[in-house]
Amino acid sequence: MLAGALQVALFFAAAASSLLPAEAAEDGVLLRGEKMTSEGFQFFFGAAAGQTYPVASSTDLLHWTALTNLSGPGGLLSVVDPDAPDFPQRFFRIGAIPTPITNMVYLPPGTFTMGSPAAETGHETNEAPRTVVTLSRGFWIAKYEVTQAEYTSLMGSNIALFAYDLRLPVDFATWFHATNYCQRLTETERAAGRLPAGYSYRLPTEAEWEYACRAGRTSPFGVGDGTSLSSTQANFDGGFPYGGAAAGPYLSTTAFGGTYPPNDWGLYDMHGNLWEWCQDWYGPYPAGAVTDPKGPATGTTRVLRGGGYTSIGRGCRAAKRDHRSPTYAHTIQGFRVVLAQDGI
C-alpha cells in the first residue's frame, strides 16, 4: 500500500499479524482508506460504539510506540501519524499484540508450494502430491531451536542427553516435551503481561515449518545456492553431501545455534542439527490449493522436519518428512516455537 513515496501497512492484532489492504475487514475492524496530508499519514477505520482502540506504530513489527487511544459513538475514526513521512516503511496496529520473546522473526502471510517434484534427487512419495498452500496470517518463529538453558529455566530440569553445555539445543525431546514447553511459555508470558488473550506459543504447523524453511525459495534448500548442501552449511553427516557439494566433517553431535549460516529469512538450523517437531498429526497431503492447513484431525504419529546431525544430505531437504510416536525420544529430536493467534 503506497502513500506518496511512503510504504505503509495497516497491521491489526485481531488479524494475528495480517497486513490488511484498505477495505479489508477482520474481526469487526473495517479499513476505510488512507492518505498523506500536510499533517502526516492519515488512515480511517470503522469502529464500534463505546469500544476503545489503542493504536501504535512500528518500523519492524517487533518494537512498538503508542500513538493514541481512540473511542467514539461508532462509525468512522481516523488516526494521523505526523512522523510517518520520516520512515521508508511504517506499520500500524489497532489493539494489543504480543511482545515476542527474544530471537523471534516475523514472517508475513504468503503462498508457496509444499512438497517436492518427482525429479528432485531424494524425492519420496510422501512429499507428493505437491500442494499450493496459502498462509493467510503472519506469525513469529524462533530464529533458533530451543536451547537447554531455555528449556531448563522454564521447565525446571534438563531432558537433553548432550547435556555438557546448556547453550546447545535441547535434544531427546518428545512431542509432549515440546508442547508442554510451549504451554508453559504461553502461561509465563501471559502472566508477565507480554502476551494478550488470543495469542499462544506453540509448535509450527507442518505447512508453517516448510514455508519458513524455504524462505521464499522453490529449491531443495533454503541456504547456499539452494541446489546443493555440504556439512559446512548445516550439521549433518558430511560424508553424504547433496547436489555435487564437497564432502565435509561429521560432528556426530549437535551444534550451537548460529554455527551455520541462516536462510534468507534469518532462521538457523532449518536443515540438519535436530529433527524438529511440528504440531500436525502425520498424513498425506491434500493436493490442489489449501489455506492454513493443520494436518489430519487424528493420527498415531506426529510430524518431524528438517533432518538431524545423523542425517545424510538428502534427508535435510526442505520437503523431507518424517514422523514418530509423540512419546518417542531421541538425541536427534528437538523443536522451535512459533507465536501466533489462536485458532490458526
Side-chain angles (χ1 to χ4, degrees):
M1 175 185 320
L2 298 177
L6 176 70
Q7 181 181 352
V8 180
L10 300 179
F11 176 89
F12 287 85
S17 311
S18 296
L19 302 182
L20 301 180
E23 302 302 330
E26 188 73 33
D27 295 341
V29 176
L30 179 65
L31 302 185
R32 295 294 189 181
E34 73 283 339
K35 63 181 180 180
M36 190 67 73
T37 73
S38 60
E39 297 179 349
F41 177 72
Q42 184 177 25
F43 63 90
F44 308 84
F45 64 95
Q51 175 70 46
T52 298
Y53 298 88
V55 182
S57 64
S58 172
T59 59
D60 60 7
L61 292 175
L62 291 175
H63 304 92
W64 292 90
T65 300
L67 291 178
T68 186
N69 288 290
L70 295 177
S71 61
L76 203 62
L77 293 177
S78 71
V79 178
V80 177
D81 180 7
D83 296 326
D86 297 335
F87 298 90
Q89 180 172 265
R90 192 79 152 168
F91 299 91
F92 298 91
R93 78 175 191 223
I94 299 176
I97 68 167
T99 300
I101 59 174
T102 57
N103 293 320
M104 299 288 282
V105 176
Y106 174 77
L107 302 187
T111 299
F112 75 106
T113 300
M114 194 169 180
S116 67
E120 183 173 296
T121 301
H123 167 85
E124 298 181 13
T125 56
N126 68 353
E127 297 165 16
R130 300 181 77 194
T131 301
V132 177
V133 173
T134 295
L135 300 178
S136 66
R137 298 178 178 181
F139 59 96
W140 289 269
I141 188 169
K143 284 185 181 180
Y144 309 106
E145 294 160 337
V146 171
T147 68
Q148 296 175 35
E150 291 168 333
Y151 187 91
T152 303
S153 174
L154 191 64
M155 304 303 289
S157 61
N158 189 4
I159 59 172
L161 294 191
F162 293 128
Y164 50 84
D165 194 318
L166 293 179
R167 295 174 298 169
L168 288 168
V170 63
D171 65 86
F172 212 68
T174 69
W175 184 87
F176 289 109
H177 285 134
T179 54
N180 288 344
Y181 177 90
C182 292
Q183 181 178 348
R184 181 75 59 83
L185 181 60
T186 296
E187 294 168 351
T188 300
E189 292 300 295
R190 186 160 292 147
R194 293 183 290 264
L195 192 64
Y199 289 86
S200 297
Y201 288 92
R202 57 168 172 79
L203 297 178
T205 65
E206 187 176 16
E208 289 169 342
W209 190 96
E210 187 168 327
Y211 177 68
C213 180
R214 291 187 177 280
R217 300 191 188 190
T218 58
S219 51
F221 304 100
V223 296
D225 64 11
T227 62
S228 62
L229 191 71
S230 78
S231 61
T232 62
Q233 298 170 300
N235 183 16
F236 68 99
D237 186 343
F240 300 89
Y242 185 95
Y250 174 36
L251 301 184
S252 191
T253 186
T254 55
F256 300 124
T259 299
Y260 301 92
N263 70 10
D264 291 344
W265 288 351
L267 306 178
Y268 294 84
D269 297 317
M270 298 299 287
H271 305 290
N273 212 29
L274 287 174
W275 285 94
E276 298 180 10
W277 287 108
C278 292
Q279 182 171 272
D280 307 30
W281 290 110
Y282 173 75
Y285 288 157
V290 296
T291 299
D292 299 327
K294 300 178 184 178
T298 61
T300 57
T301 57
R302 296 284 186 174
V303 173
L304 287 154
R305 286 302 211 104
Y309 66 87
T310 63
S311 299
I312 62 176
R314 67 184 183 184
C316 298
R317 294 173 300 111
K320 171 67 177 176
R321 309 175 73 198
D322 201 355
H323 56 105
R324 292 287 184 271
S325 163
T327 62
Y328 182 72
H330 198 286
T331 60
I332 60 173
Q333 293 170 190
F335 63 99
R336 75 180 68 218
V337 300
V338 154
L339 171 59
Q341 185 186 23
D342 296 343
I344 300 177

PDB file of all heavy atoms in Angstrom, residues 120 213-214 217-229 242-243 271 313-318:
ATOM      1  N   GLU A 120      13.204 -34.306  -8.186  1.00  0.00           N
ATOM      2  CA  GLU A 120      14.167 -33.849  -7.182  1.00  0.00           C
ATOM      3  C   GLU A 120      14.905 -35.045  -6.594  1.00  0.00           C
ATOM      4  O   GLU A 120      14.281 -36.010  -6.122  1.00  0.00           O
ATOM      5  CB  GLU A 120      13.448 -33.074  -6.089  1.00  0.00           C
ATOM      6  CG  GLU A 120      14.393 -32.495  -5.026  1.00  0.00           C
ATOM      7  CD  GLU A 120      13.658 -31.587  -4.055  1.00  0.00           C
ATOM      8  OE1 GLU A 120      13.144 -30.535  -4.499  1.00  0.00           O
ATOM      9  OE2 GLU A 120      13.598 -31.924  -2.847  1.00  0.00           O
ATOM     10  N   CYS A 213      11.204 -22.701   6.305  1.00  0.00           N
ATOM     11  CA  CYS A 213      12.435 -23.326   5.846  1.00  0.00           C
ATOM     12  C   CYS A 213      12.807 -22.863   4.440  1.00  0.00           C
ATOM     13  O   CYS A 213      13.965 -22.518   4.174  1.00  0.00           O
ATOM     14  CB  CYS A 213      12.286 -24.845   5.870  1.00  0.00           C
ATOM     15  SG  CYS A 213      13.744 -25.740   5.308  1.00  0.00           S
ATOM     16  N   ARG A 214      11.842 -22.837   3.556  1.00  0.00           N
ATOM     17  CA  ARG A 214      12.111 -22.460   2.168  1.00  0.00           C
ATOM     18  C   ARG A 214      12.483 -20.979   2.039  1.00  0.00           C
ATOM     19  O   ARG A 214      13.244 -20.595   1.157  1.00  0.00           O
ATOM     20  CB  ARG A 214      10.912 -22.784   1.289  1.00  0.00           C
ATOM     21  CG  ARG A 214      10.669 -24.277   1.102  1.00  0.00           C
ATOM     22  CD  ARG A 214       9.591 -24.567   0.091  1.00  0.00           C
ATOM     23  NE  ARG A 214       9.424 -25.993  -0.129  1.00  0.00           N
ATOM     24  CZ  ARG A 214      10.208 -26.738  -0.919  1.00  0.00           C
ATOM     25  NH1 ARG A 214      11.217 -26.170  -1.561  1.00  0.00           N
ATOM     26  NH2 ARG A 214       9.992 -28.030  -1.053  1.00  0.00           N
ATOM     27  N   ARG A 217      12.085 -19.706  -1.397  1.00  0.00           N
ATOM     28  CA  ARG A 217      12.717 -20.464  -2.482  1.00  0.00           C
ATOM     29  C   ARG A 217      11.869 -21.680  -2.874  1.00  0.00           C
ATOM     30  O   ARG A 217      11.064 -22.169  -2.085  1.00  0.00           O
ATOM     31  CB  ARG A 217      14.103 -20.941  -2.068  1.00  0.00           C
ATOM     32  CG  ARG A 217      15.074 -19.827  -1.710  1.00  0.00           C
ATOM     33  CD  ARG A 217      16.473 -20.395  -1.592  1.00  0.00           C
ATOM     34  NE  ARG A 217      17.441 -19.447  -1.081  1.00  0.00           N
ATOM     35  CZ  ARG A 217      18.762 -19.663  -1.076  1.00  0.00           C
ATOM     36  NH1 ARG A 217      19.245 -20.806  -1.541  1.00  0.00           N
ATOM     37  NH2 ARG A 217      19.584 -18.754  -0.596  1.00  0.00           N
ATOM     38  N   THR A 218      12.139 -22.192  -4.062  1.00  0.00           N
ATOM     39  CA  THR A 218      11.491 -23.420  -4.527  1.00  0.00           C
ATOM     40  C   THR A 218      12.488 -24.575  -4.638  1.00  0.00           C
ATOM     41  O   THR A 218      12.115 -25.682  -5.009  1.00  0.00           O
ATOM     42  CB  THR A 218      10.834 -23.200  -5.902  1.00  0.00           C
ATOM     43  OG1 THR A 218      11.839 -22.776  -6.844  1.00  0.00           O
ATOM     44  CG2 THR A 218       9.749 -22.132  -5.817  1.00  0.00           C
ATOM     45  N   SER A 219      13.736 -24.325  -4.320  1.00  0.00           N
ATOM     46  CA  SER A 219      14.799 -25.317  -4.433  1.00  0.00           C
ATOM     47  C   SER A 219      14.811 -26.243  -3.217  1.00  0.00           C
ATOM     48  O   SER A 219      14.112 -26.002  -2.232  1.00  0.00           O
ATOM     49  CB  SER A 219      16.149 -24.598  -4.578  1.00  0.00           C
ATOM     50  OG  SER A 219      16.305 -23.635  -3.552  1.00  0.00           O
ATOM     51  N   PRO A 220      15.613 -27.305  -3.244  1.00  0.00           N
ATOM     52  CA  PRO A 220      15.618 -28.253  -2.127  1.00  0.00           C
ATOM     53  C   PRO A 220      16.043 -27.656  -0.784  1.00  0.00           C
ATOM     54  O   PRO A 220      15.665 -28.168   0.270  1.00  0.00           O
ATOM     55  CB  PRO A 220      16.609 -29.328  -2.584  1.00  0.00           C
ATOM     56  CG  PRO A 220      16.592 -29.272  -4.072  1.00  0.00           C
ATOM     57  CD  PRO A 220      16.400 -27.822  -4.393  1.00  0.00           C
ATOM     58  N   PHE A 221      16.840 -26.574  -0.822  1.00  0.00           N
ATOM     59  CA  PHE A 221      17.368 -26.000   0.415  1.00  0.00           C
ATOM     60  C   PHE A 221      17.154 -24.493   0.449  1.00  0.00           C
ATOM     61  O   PHE A 221      17.104 -23.836  -0.591  1.00  0.00           O
ATOM     62  CB  PHE A 221      18.866 -26.323   0.556  1.00  0.00           C
ATOM     63  CG  PHE A 221      19.176 -27.787   0.503  1.00  0.00           C
ATOM     64  CD1 PHE A 221      19.649 -28.366  -0.664  1.00  0.00           C
ATOM     65  CD2 PHE A 221      18.954 -28.599   1.596  1.00  0.00           C
ATOM     66  CE1 PHE A 221      19.921 -29.721  -0.733  1.00  0.00           C
ATOM     67  CE2 PHE A 221      19.212 -29.955   1.546  1.00  0.00           C
ATOM     68  CZ  PHE A 221      19.697 -30.525   0.380  1.00  0.00           C
ATOM     69  N   GLY A 222      17.080 -23.975   1.663  1.00  0.00           N
ATOM     70  CA  GLY A 222      16.904 -22.542   1.846  1.00  0.00           C
ATOM     71  C   GLY A 222      18.192 -21.819   2.152  1.00  0.00           C
ATOM     72  O   GLY A 222      18.165 -20.639   2.512  1.00  0.00           O
ATOM     73  N   VAL A 223      19.344 -22.505   2.027  1.00  0.00           N
ATOM     74  CA  VAL A 223      20.643 -21.893   2.267  1.00  0.00           C
ATOM     75  C   VAL A 223      21.541 -22.139   1.062  1.00  0.00           C
ATOM     76  O   VAL A 223      21.250 -22.997   0.220  1.00  0.00           O
ATOM     77  CB  VAL A 223      21.317 -22.460   3.535  1.00  0.00           C
ATOM     78  CG1 VAL A 223      20.501 -22.125   4.768  1.00  0.00           C
ATOM     79  CG2 VAL A 223      21.535 -23.968   3.420  1.00  0.00           C
ATOM     80  N   GLY A 224      22.634 -21.387   0.989  1.00  0.00           N
ATOM     81  CA  GLY A 224      23.582 -21.555  -0.100  1.00  0.00           C
ATOM     82  C   GLY A 224      22.944 -21.299  -1.448  1.00  0.00           C
ATOM     83  O   GLY A 224      22.098 -20.405  -1.596  1.00  0.00           O
ATOM     84  N   ASP A 225      23.339 -22.093  -2.450  1.00  0.00           N
ATOM     85  CA  ASP A 225      22.746 -21.915  -3.779  1.00  0.00           C
ATOM     86  C   ASP A 225      21.389 -22.595  -3.899  1.00  0.00           C
ATOM     87  O   ASP A 225      20.724 -22.489  -4.937  1.00  0.00           O
ATOM     88  CB  ASP A 225      23.697 -22.416  -4.874  1.00  0.00           C
ATOM     89  CG  ASP A 225      23.967 -23.928  -4.805  1.00  0.00           C
ATOM     90  OD1 ASP A 225      23.276 -24.649  -4.044  1.00  0.00           O
ATOM     91  OD2 ASP A 225      24.862 -24.395  -5.524  1.00  0.00           O
ATOM     92  N   GLY A 226      20.968 -23.293  -2.849  1.00  0.00           N
ATOM     93  CA  GLY A 226      19.653 -23.921  -2.830  1.00  0.00           C
ATOM     94  C   GLY A 226      19.589 -25.285  -3.453  1.00  0.00           C
ATOM     95  O   GLY A 226      18.662 -26.049  -3.181  1.00  0.00           O
ATOM     96  N   THR A 227      20.574 -25.627  -4.283  1.00  0.00           N
ATOM     97  CA  THR A 227      20.535 -26.905  -5.006  1.00  0.00           C
ATOM     98  C   THR A 227      21.513 -27.931  -4.447  1.00  0.00           C
ATOM     99  O   THR A 227      21.455 -29.104  -4.817  1.00  0.00           O
ATOM    100  CB  THR A 227      20.848 -26.699  -6.495  1.00  0.00           C
ATOM    101  OG1 THR A 227      22.184 -26.179  -6.628  1.00  0.00           O
ATOM    102  CG2 THR A 227      19.856 -25.718  -7.116  1.00  0.00           C
ATOM    103  N   SER A 228      22.429 -27.496  -3.588  1.00  0.00           N
ATOM    104  CA  SER A 228      23.414 -28.409  -3.012  1.00  0.00           C
ATOM    105  C   SER A 228      23.563 -28.110  -1.527  1.00  0.00           C
ATOM    106  O   SER A 228      23.172 -27.046  -1.041  1.00  0.00           O
ATOM    107  CB  SER A 228      24.768 -28.258  -3.717  1.00  0.00           C
ATOM    108  OG  SER A 228      25.274 -26.940  -3.542  1.00  0.00           O
ATOM    109  N   LEU A 229      24.132 -29.070  -0.792  1.00  0.00           N
ATOM    110  CA  LEU A 229      24.328 -28.874   0.644  1.00  0.00           C
ATOM    111  C   LEU A 229      25.555 -29.643   1.104  1.00  0.00           C
ATOM    112  O   LEU A 229      25.682 -30.839   0.846  1.00  0.00           O
ATOM    113  CB  LEU A 229      23.105 -29.354   1.430  1.00  0.00           C
ATOM    114  CG  LEU A 229      23.092 -28.970   2.919  1.00  0.00           C
ATOM    115  CD1 LEU A 229      22.840 -27.477   3.090  1.00  0.00           C
ATOM    116  CD2 LEU A 229      22.045 -29.772   3.678  1.00  0.00           C
ATOM    117  N   TYR A 242      24.982 -33.298  -0.761  1.00  0.00           N
ATOM    118  CA  TYR A 242      23.886 -33.306  -1.741  1.00  0.00           C
ATOM    119  C   TYR A 242      24.239 -32.392  -2.905  1.00  0.00           C
ATOM    120  O   TYR A 242      24.861 -31.337  -2.718  1.00  0.00           O
ATOM    121  CB  TYR A 242      22.604 -32.818  -1.080  1.00  0.00           C
ATOM    122  CG  TYR A 242      21.358 -32.891  -1.949  1.00  0.00           C
ATOM    123  CD1 TYR A 242      20.508 -33.987  -1.889  1.00  0.00           C
ATOM    124  CD2 TYR A 242      21.027 -31.852  -2.818  1.00  0.00           C
ATOM    125  CE1 TYR A 242      19.361 -34.055  -2.667  1.00  0.00           C
ATOM    126  CE2 TYR A 242      19.883 -31.914  -3.605  1.00  0.00           C
ATOM    127  CZ  TYR A 242      19.054 -33.014  -3.531  1.00  0.00           C
ATOM    128  OH  TYR A 242      17.916 -33.087  -4.307  1.00  0.00           O
ATOM    129  N   GLY A 243      23.805 -32.819  -4.089  1.00  0.00           N
ATOM    130  CA  GLY A 243      23.873 -31.957  -5.260  1.00  0.00           C
ATOM    131  C   GLY A 243      25.261 -31.599  -5.726  1.00  0.00           C
ATOM    132  O   GLY A 243      25.473 -30.498  -6.250  1.00  0.00           O
ATOM    133  N   HIS A 271      17.918 -26.824   8.334  1.00  0.00           N
ATOM    134  CA  HIS A 271      18.447 -28.049   7.723  1.00  0.00           C
ATOM    135  C   HIS A 271      19.456 -28.647   8.702  1.00  0.00           C
ATOM    136  O   HIS A 271      20.431 -28.013   9.085  1.00  0.00           O
ATOM    137  CB  HIS A 271      19.141 -27.749   6.394  1.00  0.00           C
ATOM    138  CG  HIS A 271      18.281 -27.025   5.405  1.00  0.00           C
ATOM    139  ND1 HIS A 271      17.210 -27.610   4.770  1.00  0.00           N
ATOM    140  CD2 HIS A 271      18.317 -25.741   4.964  1.00  0.00           C
ATOM    141  CE1 HIS A 271      16.646 -26.723   3.963  1.00  0.00           C
ATOM    142  NE2 HIS A 271      17.293 -25.587   4.072  1.00  0.00           N
ATOM    143  N   GLY A 313      22.667 -35.793   3.375  1.00  0.00           N
ATOM    144  CA  GLY A 313      22.251 -34.545   2.747  1.00  0.00           C
ATOM    145  C   GLY A 313      20.821 -34.532   2.253  1.00  0.00           C
ATOM    146  O   GLY A 313      20.075 -33.576   2.501  1.00  0.00           O
ATOM    147  N   ARG A 314      20.402 -35.603   1.570  1.00  0.00           N
ATOM    148  CA  ARG A 314      19.052 -35.594   1.019  1.00  0.00           C
ATOM    149  C   ARG A 314      17.985 -35.671   2.106  1.00  0.00           C
ATOM    150  O   ARG A 314      16.832 -35.320   1.880  1.00  0.00           O
ATOM    151  CB  ARG A 314      18.877 -36.742   0.023  1.00  0.00           C
ATOM    152  CG  ARG A 314      18.915 -38.139   0.624  1.00  0.00           C
ATOM    153  CD  ARG A 314      18.818 -39.168  -0.478  1.00  0.00           C
ATOM    154  NE  ARG A 314      18.778 -40.535   0.067  1.00  0.00           N
ATOM    155  CZ  ARG A 314      18.773 -41.619  -0.700  1.00  0.00           C
ATOM    156  NH1 ARG A 314      18.827 -41.499  -2.018  1.00  0.00           N
ATOM    157  NH2 ARG A 314      18.718 -42.814  -0.148  1.00  0.00           N
ATOM    158  N   GLY A 315      18.389 -36.111   3.301  1.00  0.00           N
ATOM    159  CA  GLY A 315      17.463 -36.152   4.423  1.00  0.00           C
ATOM    160  C   GLY A 315      17.251 -34.810   5.092  1.00  0.00           C
ATOM    161  O   GLY A 315      16.456 -34.709   6.028  1.00  0.00           O
ATOM    162  N   CYS A 316      17.959 -33.796   4.623  1.00  0.00           N
ATOM    163  CA  CYS A 316      17.823 -32.448   5.189  1.00  0.00           C
ATOM    164  C   CYS A 316      17.092 -31.501   4.245  1.00  0.00           C
ATOM    165  O   CYS A 316      17.036 -30.288   4.512  1.00  0.00           O
ATOM    166  CB  CYS A 316      19.201 -31.877   5.502  1.00  0.00           C
ATOM    167  SG  CYS A 316      20.140 -32.813   6.720  1.00  0.00           S
ATOM    168  N   ARG A 317      16.553 -32.021   3.148  1.00  0.00           N
ATOM    169  CA  ARG A 317      15.846 -31.164   2.190  1.00  0.00           C
ATOM    170  C   ARG A 317      14.612 -30.502   2.825  1.00  0.00           C
ATOM    171  O   ARG A 317      14.017 -31.043   3.761  1.00  0.00           O
ATOM    172  CB  ARG A 317      15.403 -31.983   0.979  1.00  0.00           C
ATOM    173  CG  ARG A 317      16.529 -32.530   0.127  1.00  0.00           C
ATOM    174  CD  ARG A 317      16.040 -33.473  -0.962  1.00  0.00           C
ATOM    175  NE  ARG A 317      15.356 -34.617  -0.367  1.00  0.00           N
ATOM    176  CZ  ARG A 317      14.044 -34.853  -0.458  1.00  0.00           C
ATOM    177  NH1 ARG A 317      13.249 -34.029  -1.143  1.00  0.00           N
ATOM    178  NH2 ARG A 317      13.530 -35.911   0.132  1.00  0.00           N
ATOM    179  N   ALA A 318      14.209 -29.378   2.277  1.00  0.00           N
ATOM    180  CA  ALA A 318      13.048 -28.655   2.806  1.00  0.00           C
ATOM    181  C   ALA A 318      11.780 -29.494   2.750  1.00  0.00           C
ATOM    182  O   ALA A 318      10.889 -29.330   3.591  1.00  0.00           O
ATOM    183  CB  ALA A 318      12.851 -27.358   2.020  1.00  0.00           C
TER     184      ALA A 318
END
